[in-house]
Amino acid sequence: MLLALIEGDGEALTQTSAELLTFARDLDSDLHAVMVGADEAIPTDLAGYGVRKVLKVDIDGYSPEAHGSAVSQLIDRLRPAAVMAPGHERGNEVMAQAAARSQLPLAANCIAVISGETWNVTRVRAGGMLLEDARLDADVKLATLVPGTLEPLQAQDTVGDVEVNTFVPDLDGVARSRLVERTTRADGVVLGNARVVVSGGRGVGSAEGFAPLEELAELLHGAVGCSRVATNNGWRPHSDQVGQTGTKVNPDLYMACGISGATQHWVGCMGAKTILAINTDSEAPMVTRAAYAVIGDVHEVLNAVIAEVHRRRG
């Protein structure tokens, strides 16, 4: 049995959860999903991803300590062969808590697993600058999967209903963090899941200079990102920052506008399928690493691109 920690987005799976189930069912056909949260709606598309049963963990609100303790209790009760979660901030946080409480090793940020009595895993390390091959040897294997590792794909031979059971963990005496403030995201495409990211750096020049980036991102149904310089200068909020200390993205197209391409930023965007750099410096690291580059002023180039998009759309 393999337990997969998943999240829903309304009635459907999140992208990272769909990726995880696609990956996990090749490791173990006895695939069970775990959803933590009293108010979480069970996605209707679980059977299509090979899930046989769902364990709905009854906990109000998010707390890494409470969520981790609940997963640890499930491990003690069910003794699954493995437990996996998406390798985003929350997934890694909860799994680290569960690993510590169950005294089990955790292989975080995996991109490949060869299963067996011992798992051979490939992990992303140093913020994505190197890959590590390691062995995971434990009665219950714990691992997280790097988002964007593969395209989610429903199984062709899985039909029928999914059995849903409720699990109420014993959280008496568990010290836990509590949520003191919640900030609502602005409407639009979320940076981490965007298929197109238009990102700006020092070369954009100012907060007002991001206006054409926002216009182009909206035209392409994408999201706006930025480098650490733009965040440090107060031009964009930290939630827009792409990089090792920001959001790691893996869009189909990443447009780096006026970004030199320091290692910290490259770690955040290196998963993009195609990178287009716009810069006045032909020797900038981002220009030399990009699949395509335009040497010129960011605003002149973007205004020309925006005009051409409008022309083609009539």
Side-chain angles (χ1 to χ4, degrees):
M1 178 198 307
L2 190 153
L3 302 181
L5 273 62
I6 63 167
E7 301 163 316
D9 183 8
E11 294 185 352
L13 283 167
T14 61
Q15 176 82 4
T16 53
S17 295
E19 292 171 5
L20 175 64
L21 293 178
T22 302
F23 187 90
R25 69 171 181 255
D26 287 335
L27 301 177
D28 194 327
S29 60
D30 188 12
L31 182 58
H32 295 198
V34 177
M35 291 195 69
V36 184
D39 298 328
E40 291 292 330
I42 303 297
T44 58
D45 51 351
L46 284 175
Y49 286 95
V51 174
R52 296 186 174 187
K53 297 181 180 180
V54 178
L55 285 165
K56 187 173 174 61
V57 182
D58 190 1
I59 297 178
D60 289 323
Y62 174 66
S63 160
E65 300 87 356
H67 282 51
S69 178
V71 173
S72 177
Q73 291 175 44
L74 281 175
I75 291 172
D76 291 340
R77 174 176 292 195
L78 301 176
R79 301 310 296 177
V83 182
M84 294 191 69
H88 48 40
E89 289 184 4
R90 179 173 292 193
N92 283 330
E93 187 174 53
V94 170
M95 290 295 284
Q97 286 277 343
R101 294 172 186 276
S102 298
Q103 298 185 342
L104 291 168
L106 167 65
N109 301 321
C110 295
I111 59 171
V113 173
I114 300 175
S115 62
E117 185 174 345
T118 299
W119 279 11
N120 294 312
V121 303
T122 301
R123 304 173 58 207
V124 174
R125 299 296 303 275
M129 297 307 293
L130 62 87
L131 299 178
E132 172 194 83
D133 290 328
R135 298 178 65 192
L136 179 58
D137 188 3
D139 293 337
V140 181
K141 281 81 172 175
L142 306 184
T144 63
L145 179 72
V146 172
T149 297
L150 76 170
E151 289 293 329
L153 182 66
Q154 293 198 6
Q156 298 299 316
D157 56 350
T158 52
V159 294
D161 297 329
V162 175
E163 179 183 335
V164 179
N165 295 301
T166 299
F167 173 67
V168 181
D170 180 7
L171 300 177
D172 289 343
V174 176
R176 57 169 112 174
S177 307
R178 65 185 180 89
L179 182 65
V180 296
E181 182 181 357
R182 184 183 297 275
T183 301
T184 303
R185 282 186 183 274
D187 292 337
V189 180
V190 178
L191 180 62
N193 295 333
R195 288 304 178 190
V196 176
V197 175
V198 184
S199 203
R202 189 189 305 276
V204 173
S206 65
E208 294 73 21
F210 273 84
L213 281 74
E214 293 172 351
E215 182 178 357
L216 181 58
E218 184 176 356
L219 286 170
L220 300 179
H221 306 292
V224 175
C226 69
S227 68
R228 184 166 58 185
V229 171
T231 297
N232 289 346
N233 287 344
W235 300 344
R236 305 294 296 186
H238 176 71
S239 58
D240 288 354
Q241 183 181 329
V242 174
Q244 188 170 1
T245 56
T247 301
K248 293 181 176 64
V249 298
N250 54 347
D252 294 332
L253 173 63
Y254 187 80
M255 298 181 66
C257 307
I259 298 174
S260 62
T263 300
Q264 193 274 347
H265 186 81
W266 176 251
V267 166
C269 68
M270 62 188 294
K273 292 181 175 63
T274 302
I275 295 178
L276 166 65
I278 304 172
N279 208 299
T280 56
D281 182 5
S282 61
E283 301 299 322
M286 186 62 74
V287 172
T288 60
R289 289 168 167 168
Y292 303 96
V294 178
I295 307 303
D297 179 79
V298 166
H299 295 96
E300 291 180 3
V301 174
L302 288 182
N303 287 334
V305 172
I306 290 169
E308 180 63 16
V309 172
H310 281 300
R311 186 190 70 80
R312 294 193 179 194
R313 294 184 178 181

